[in-house]
Amino acid sequence: MKDHINAIYKNHSQFYKILLFVVTTILIVFFFPKSGRFKYNFEKGKPWQTENLYAPFNFGIQKSTNEVKKEETLITNQTTHFFNKEKGIEAEVIKDFKEGFNKTFNDSLNNYKGLKSKANSILNTFYKYGILNENLDLKNSNKAVILIDNVEKQTTTYKNLQKLGTLKNSIEKQLKGTSLETYSNKLTALFFDVIKTNLTYNKALSDNVLKEALDKISKNRGVVDKGTLIISKGEVVNDEKFQVLTSLSKEYESQVWSKSSYNWIVFAYTLLVSLALLMLLLFIRKYRKDVYKNNTKVTFIFFNVFVMVLLTTLIVNYNSEYVYLVPITILPLVLKAFFDARLGLFTHVITVLLLGSIVPNSYEYMFLQIIAGIVTILTVSELYKRANLFISVGQITLVYIIAYFAFFVIHEASVDNLKWETFGLFILCGLATLFVQPIIYVYEKLFGLISDVSLLELSDTNSKLLKELSNKAPGTFHHSLNVANLAEASANEIEANAMLVRVGALYHDIGKMKSPIYFTENQSSGINRHDELTPRESAKIIINHVLNGIEIAKKYNLPDRVIDFIRTHHGTSQVYYFYMKEKANNENVDIIDFTYPGPKPFSKETAILMMCDSVEAASKSLKDPTSSKIDNFVENIINKQKDSGQFLNADITFKEIESIKKVLKRKLANIYHLRIEYPE
């Protein structure tokens, strides 16, 4: 039992990866749609490539979206509107009009009998059907309407209903050309004083009637019986065949599956998802060993894959037309920011392959997304520069639009029915991609990772910690700047992460702030404090600057990748000067007491810092430097580190070490303003 527990503890990292693999697979399959999928691919205008297809069951031929929309528009235009007619208003208005007329036209010398008769006639015309309290602005004025009161219903057309806004024109029109036209203004004013609306639009009833009519629209326009030949091999998929095949595909995917069939579908999806994730895991294991060894990083990658699958699945389940709204190019952007372009692209392709089994038009979708991912990897560089991200997002959006346009023309052979709203989805997708910056910041906090954006902020020499270093240990600060310049040049030479190694160099000696006077570069008075200490005490102070640096870095919340440079910049080397000094007095000296705790550098970047730090520090002791002296000096220091096994854990080659030597020799020659020694 104990052996089993020890084995599990020893291989806990592998067990964690297996658990992560299983959990991610289960979660992705859980969110996948569990319907069957039509096993044939077909395109309008292209020949049917497979065997003759017969109907596997009875199914209806679904109407196209345009056909359904035309029917809906027709029904909407023909559906009756309902208005409530309020009784009693007309009698009240007639009474008020009579009183108002007698007051307005009270001249006893004139006979207004004809005017009064005409006015009553106009009033009766207004209330024949009624006066609306609002104008519905219907396009079809001949549309049937029904007027409802408490007793009866009255049918007419919308144009026969009187509207308040047209009352004046109606009065003037009926009086024009008659002897009564001179009374038009007075009569109009009287009408507006007494007239009241008696028709109110019954929206609830009208909407219900329209909804019932729309619900009765049949989605099908025919039936295909089981066993009927749908299409023959080599036959071109025309509009009619395309609609039949599309109907069969949708019917097949919406079938109610038995429990046995459902389980088989889940099992098949599990196989596909696990196979894709396994390929991703094997790729990381073979080509990104440092990432594979770090469970946090592997979890981060799988988490991002799951998030993209989840977002896309939710959108597809809601409305598959919005599938291009998901900013899937955020995935390669994020992975490139934290890792590298190759891992970002491979993960992106695996994710797109997973999504290809659930999205409509899978070939078109996968082509567009893979091309967009490639463009993302090729165009986005130096993400910390804001202009670069905007330019890259514009290029990605343009590629989306061009590729979609090409596919549409291939399918439709014209641009008449081009869906311009899809271009809008691509633009919105591009805008959503701009949120990658805050997403990267959140990921840094959640997973303890570091991106170039944070590295740029840390490289600012005006930061609080570096300012404190320059104040407390100015010599160390100057040394760190020199090392940073050497390390950055060396990293560029062998294509390592120059920004990371520069930041690591700036902070690698911050531990010297605790006792700056004990380090040579900060001794400006010419007094050496080590003269007052034993070699063992001096060595302890020198070695402790690594541990003090780690403590200070954690206090200031520096990322772990930066702290790695503090831990490894001396590796397991010795404080040789004090060791030899102690040995001169005592033969029985344990070299462990004069050895840095390590660990040794375990990446190209940390190895570069060790070389540059040693060379820069030791170069201060050079007297009368010449090109040959500098060459021998650099060779001796780096060869000593190499021979002592300091670079065994670092992923760096002999060729790269030689390239770094050349850079350091050239840089030191420039620092000391040396000319090339020409042969005599």
Side-chain angles (χ1 to χ4, degrees), residues 358-371:
I358 63 168
V359 297
N361 302 321
S362 55
Y363 174 74
E364 174 186 315
Y365 176 85
M366 289 191 293
F367 183 90
L368 260 66
Q369 297 295 8
I370 290 174
I371 290 294

Side-chain angles (χ1 to χ4, degrees), residues 458-473:
L458 290 170
S459 66
D460 183 8
T461 54
N462 288 318
S463 65
K464 185 177 179 181
L465 183 53
L466 290 180
K467 271 195 169 185
E468 187 178 348
L469 177 64
S470 67
N471 291 330
K472 290 184 177 180

Side-chain angles (χ1 to χ4, degrees), residues 498-603:
M499 179 70 76
L500 176 61
V501 77
R502 179 175 181 82
V503 172
L506 288 173
Y507 291 91
H508 78 283
D509 269 344
I510 55 175
K512 292 180 179 180
M513 285 193 297
K514 282 207 171 181
S515 50
I517 199 66
Y518 288 96
F519 296 90
T520 311
E521 65 267 24
N522 299 312
Q523 294 173 353
S524 57
S525 62
I527 299 172
N528 190 345
R529 293 295 180 91
H530 289 286
D531 295 338
E532 303 169 3
L533 304 174
T534 65
R536 195 178 293 273
E537 290 173 334
S538 296
K540 185 178 181 180
I541 292 173
I542 299 298
I543 291 171
N544 278 347
H545 89 272
V546 173
L547 300 176
N548 292 334
I550 295 171
E551 183 183 334
I552 293 170
K554 289 182 176 179
K555 178 183 175 183
Y556 281 84
N557 296 318
L558 291 184
D560 288 339
R561 288 181 74 186
V562 176
I563 296 176
D564 288 340
F565 287 92
I566 302 173
R567 294 165 56 217
T568 61
H569 73 279
H570 285 295
T572 55
S573 60
Q574 290 79 38
V575 187
Y576 201 69
Y577 173 80
F578 291 111
Y579 169 69
M580 295 304 295
K581 192 174 179 181
E582 178 70 14
K583 196 171 183 182
N585 301 325
N586 181 10
E587 286 292 332
N588 299 321
V589 181
D590 189 352
I591 197 169
I592 296 298
D593 296 335
F594 295 85
T595 302
Y596 284 97
K600 296 176 181 179
F602 45 78
S603 66

Side-chain angles (χ1 to χ4, degrees), residues 304 330 334 338 432 435-444:
N304 276 277
I330 283 181
V334 167
F338 289 117
F435 283 94
V436 69
Q437 291 280 23
I439 290 173
I440 287 174
Y441 177 78
V442 172
Y443 279 157
E444 286 179 336

Side-chain angles (χ1 to χ4, degrees), residues 147-294:
L147 313 180
I148 306 171
D149 59 24
N150 296 332
V151 180
E152 59 183 16
K153 294 182 180 179
Q154 185 180 10
T155 303
T156 183
T157 58
Y158 182 73
K159 68 178 182 181
N160 289 332
L161 305 183
Q162 190 65 51
K163 294 86 180 175
L164 278 175
T166 61
L167 282 180
K168 183 178 180 182
N169 292 336
S170 181
I171 296 169
E172 291 175 350
K173 185 177 179 181
Q174 293 192 56
L175 294 178
K176 191 173 182 180
T178 68
S179 58
L180 305 174
E181 187 175 358
T182 54
Y183 302 106
S184 176
N185 290 337
K186 282 188 175 183
L187 201 59
T188 300
L190 176 59
F191 273 126
F192 273 100
D193 286 340
V194 299
I195 278 180
K196 298 177 182 177
T197 59
N198 64 337
L199 294 181
T200 306
Y201 179 53
N202 192 329
K203 189 176 187 305
L205 180 58
S206 301
D207 288 347
N208 285 336
V209 171
L210 176 60
K211 185 176 182 301
E212 289 178 5
L214 292 175
D215 290 342
K216 290 179 182 177
I217 296 176
S218 173
K219 302 298 181 182
N220 299 329
R221 54 177 174 81
V223 177
V224 177
D225 295 326
K226 181 179 179 180
T228 303
L229 176 64
I230 295 176
I231 192 167
S232 304
K233 184 176 181 179
E235 187 178 351
V236 175
V237 182
N238 56 24
D239 289 343
E240 180 63 26
K241 297 290 184 184
F242 181 79
Q243 196 59 38
V244 174
L245 289 169
T246 302
S247 302
L248 175 59
S249 174
K250 291 180 179 178
E251 187 68 24
Y252 188 86
E253 293 176 5
S254 64
Q255 287 287 317
V256 178
W257 302 95
S258 65
K259 186 175 181 180
S260 174
S261 300
Y262 178 86
N263 291 336
W264 275 111
I265 291 171
V266 171
F267 175 71
Y269 269 132
T270 304
L271 287 179
L272 287 176
V273 173
S274 59
L275 189 62
L277 293 179
L278 181 62
M279 294 303 103
L280 176 58
L281 200 59
L282 291 176
F283 174 86
I284 298 171
R285 182 182 180 184
K286 185 173 179 63
Y287 296 105
R288 297 293 179 271
K289 293 181 181 178
D290 57 326
V291 175
Y292 184 79
K293 292 175 183 177
N294 190 320

